Amino acid sequence: MTLLSLFKNSNNSNSQTLILGEDSFLNDYLARSYTHEERFSDLERISIDCESDGLDELIANLTESSLFSQQKIITVKNPFFLTAKVPKKMQKQLEQLQKIFSNLQQLDDIVVLVASYEKVDRRKKLTKTVLQQCNVVETKVKTYEVGAITKALIAAEGYQISRTGLQLLLQRSDQVLDTILGNYNKLKMIAVDGKITEQAIEQNVDLSFAQNVFAILEAALKRNYQEAISRLDNQLREGSNPIQLLAVFENQLELILAAKILQKRGRNESQIVKELGVHPYRVKLALSNRLALKKLLNLLEEVIKLDFNYKNGQYREDNFLKLFILNV
């Protein structure tokens, strides 16, 4: 099973491929997986970065006759010729590329374009041609889809992970796909019989900065002040500054407040997840909080006030953070 099938494909029977989306880490991961599939094992692998190698190098590789060379699978990174930002002096190369991509299906080689851009210029003739000639794989992943994509990707690569293990991996990676993939790569190296265990995750994936800071406020909200202060001291010793901590506190309180307001308006948990665009676990955690809306709003206002006063020099030490935690 190809990992590309986990995403929206325009024509998955077409080997000529355009991977399109903002996440360069994810796109590179997918391109590497695709080009190393068994069906391409006899092909020579070539990687060209249009920004550093130039369009002439790309054109030379695309036009080299297969009669005198091994069939290739060519990964094309940073194909800026698909965007609106192309210098006029490159008009000749663009015309050559237009001819090549217009006849892409007659090419013996396989081309995999990795376009890690927010958007491409779909009005351009060359871009239209590439979109028509390639299987276009759109890799945009919404926040609430991260868990499902991660689970499917792990299964597609032949590894096993329990539901609680997956949840732990997502939590410790801040539900950020790049971070998840990085941690997953480490876990694959130590997986026994293809199994990624909770123990392996706990021992090899550290709590992120945001996770540690979330735990401070979470402990305080549960009136476990000793744990909250201990965690706060640890973060301060490790070099976290008050502005960083307050920013995470503010984000955490805003999420809890927004989730509870939407729940009060009749939204269910899945609707709240989609409306806020965050991971389901964070919404579940937010809704489990029992503080009244008024109290949450007061805490949020206090955090904003503390941030303003600290930046204005009213506080010289970090004791004000401990006072805030003890008054939650």
Side-chain angles (χ1 to χ4, degrees):
M1 176 183 177
T2 174
L3 295 186
L4 298 184
S5 64
L6 301 177
F7 301 85
K8 181 181 177 182
N9 284 235
S10 64
N11 180 10
N12 55 21
S13 63
N14 183 3
S15 296
Q16 309 291 5
T17 302
L18 168 63
I19 298 175
L20 182 60
E22 294 181 62
D23 193 329
S24 59
F25 189 96
L26 172 62
N27 292 345
D28 288 342
Y29 189 97
L30 295 173
R32 187 164 52 250
S33 172
Y34 181 63
T35 57
H36 283 76
E37 287 182 11
E38 180 64 28
R39 56 181 167 145
F40 301 133
S41 60
D42 294 333
L43 275 60
E44 180 186 1
R45 295 190 189 96
I46 291 178
S47 180
I48 298 171
D49 188 323
C50 294
E51 291 185 355
S52 57
D53 299 326
L55 296 186
D56 288 336
E57 180 69 18
L58 172 61
I59 292 167
N61 275 276
L62 292 174
T63 55
E64 184 179 19
S65 174
S66 60
L67 292 174
F68 305 104
S69 65
Q70 182 182 352
Q71 187 181 9
K72 305 184 291 290
I73 183 165
I74 306 170
T75 301
V76 183
K77 296 185 177 181
N78 299 313
F80 63 85
F81 53 84
L82 299 178
T83 71
K85 299 178 180 179
V86 183
K88 289 184 178 180
K89 64 180 181 180
M90 293 185 175
Q91 188 59 38
K92 182 180 177 181
Q93 288 98 325
L94 293 181
E95 290 172 0
Q96 289 177 288
L97 287 171
Q98 176 64 42
K99 292 178 182 178
I100 293 168
F101 282 107
S102 293
N103 297 285
L104 191 61
Q105 296 304 317
Q106 282 71 55
L107 200 68
D108 289 330
D109 298 326
I110 304 298
V111 179
V112 181
L113 297 119
V114 185
S116 301
Y117 302 116
E118 183 179 354
K119 60 181 179 179
V120 293
D121 188 353
R122 294 175 182 265
R123 300 167 300 175
K124 291 174 63 171
K125 183 180 179 181
L126 177 54
T127 305
K128 289 179 181 179
T129 299
V130 171
L131 291 171
Q132 289 170 354
Q133 294 290 324
C134 291
N135 172 33
V136 182
V137 183
E138 297 184 35
T139 61
K140 185 174 183 178
V141 180
K142 295 177 181 177
T143 307
Y144 61 83
E145 297 173 329
V146 167
I149 286 290
T150 303
K151 181 181 178 181
L153 188 147
I154 291 173
E157 292 198 323
Y159 290 88
Q160 300 173 47
I161 189 170
S162 67
R163 183 176 179 180
T164 51
L166 176 64
Q167 195 63 62
L168 183 61
L169 174 60
L170 296 176
Q171 289 172 28
R172 295 208 170 186
S173 305
D174 277 344
Q175 288 84 38
V176 176
L177 195 52
D178 285 7
T179 309
I180 293 167
L181 289 174
N183 288 327
Y184 167 54
N185 277 333
K186 290 191 295 183
L187 294 166
K188 285 196 294 186
M189 301 293 290
I190 57 173
V192 179
D193 296 327
K195 294 180 180 178
I196 298 173
T197 64
E198 292 173 53
Q199 183 180 13
I201 298 169
E202 288 174 349
Q203 292 176 348
N204 295 279
V205 182
D206 294 330
L207 285 171
S208 67
F209 169 75
Q211 276 273 301
N212 277 307
V213 180
F214 282 159
I216 295 171
L217 190 54
E218 194 62 32
L221 290 169
K222 293 177 180 177
R223 303 290 192 268
N224 192 342
Y225 296 113
Q226 185 174 353
E227 179 188 343
I229 294 299
S230 176
R231 287 181 177 275
L232 177 60
D233 283 336
N234 287 338
Q235 284 301 305
L236 292 169
R237 276 196 299 271
E238 290 176 9
S240 299
N241 66 58
I243 291 175
Q244 291 175 306
L245 298 173
L246 287 168
V248 179
F249 289 156
E250 184 177 340
N251 177 272
Q252 194 172 2
L253 288 167
E254 284 176 343
L255 175 63
I256 296 172
L257 192 61
K260 291 175 80 70
I261 288 173
L262 289 172
Q263 184 185 48
K264 196 172 182 180
R265 292 177 179 173
R267 309 290 204 285
N268 60 36
E269 195 170 308
S270 61
Q271 289 172 328
I272 295 172
V273 166
K274 289 189 176 182
E275 194 150 341
L276 296 181
V278 298
H279 192 269
Y281 176 78
R282 291 190 66 192
V283 171
K284 186 180 289 292
L285 204 61
L287 295 177
S288 69
N289 185 280
R290 296 186 178 182
L291 286 185
L293 289 177
K294 186 176 180 181
K295 174 66 173 177
L296 286 167
L297 185 59
N298 288 339
L299 287 173
L300 180 57
E301 289 175 347
E302 181 64 18
V303 167
I304 295 170
K305 182 178 173 183
L306 290 174
D307 181 67
F308 178 80
N309 289 336
Y310 181 78
K311 289 175 179 175
N312 281 344
Q314 185 169 329
Y315 303 117
R316 299 293 180 186
E317 303 292 335
D318 48 38
N319 286 334
F320 75 97
L321 287 172
K322 295 181 181 179
L323 290 174
F324 167 72
I325 291 297
L326 292 172
N327 283 315
V328 169

